[in-house]
Amino acid sequence: MNSNLYMEGRTMPYINLQITKGASRDQKAQVVKEFTETLVRVLDKKPEHIHIVIEEIEDENWGFSGILTDDFRKQ
């Protein structure tokens, strides 16, 4: 997650969330809602200053534990 853009002399939270493809629109909306609520509650930020970007990555472009995700899912 990235955070803290500058706006009108104030920092504003910016979250860049990268996930593999497959989440539904409803799931992404829930993530945005809950991340926003957390930043409001924990950091006392205004919801209108919070920016969240969800980037979906193809399984073949995501690797972990030495293999690509699409190969892992085939196992």
Side-chain angles (χ1 to χ4, degrees), residues 48-74:
E48 61 270 21
H49 293 164
I50 298 168
H51 296 262
I52 301 169
V53 175
I54 299 173
E55 292 183 81
E56 291 187 285
I57 311 297
E58 295 286 347
D59 286 353
E60 66 184 30
N61 296 326
W62 193 294
F64 69 100
S65 193
I67 61 174
L68 297 173
T69 299
D70 61 344
D71 288 336
F72 175 79
R73 290 187 176 170
K74 291 174 189 173

Side-chain angles (χ1 to χ4, degrees), residues 30-56:
Q30 183 177 350
V31 166
V32 168
K33 179 179 182 283
E34 291 186 19
F35 277 23
T36 299
E37 289 170 350
T38 298
L39 293 173
V40 168
R41 186 181 71 252
V42 174
L43 299 178
D44 197 31
K45 297 295 182 177
K46 294 181 179 180
E48 61 270 21
H49 293 164
I50 298 168
H51 296 262
I52 301 169
V53 175
I54 299 173
E55 292 183 81
E56 291 187 285

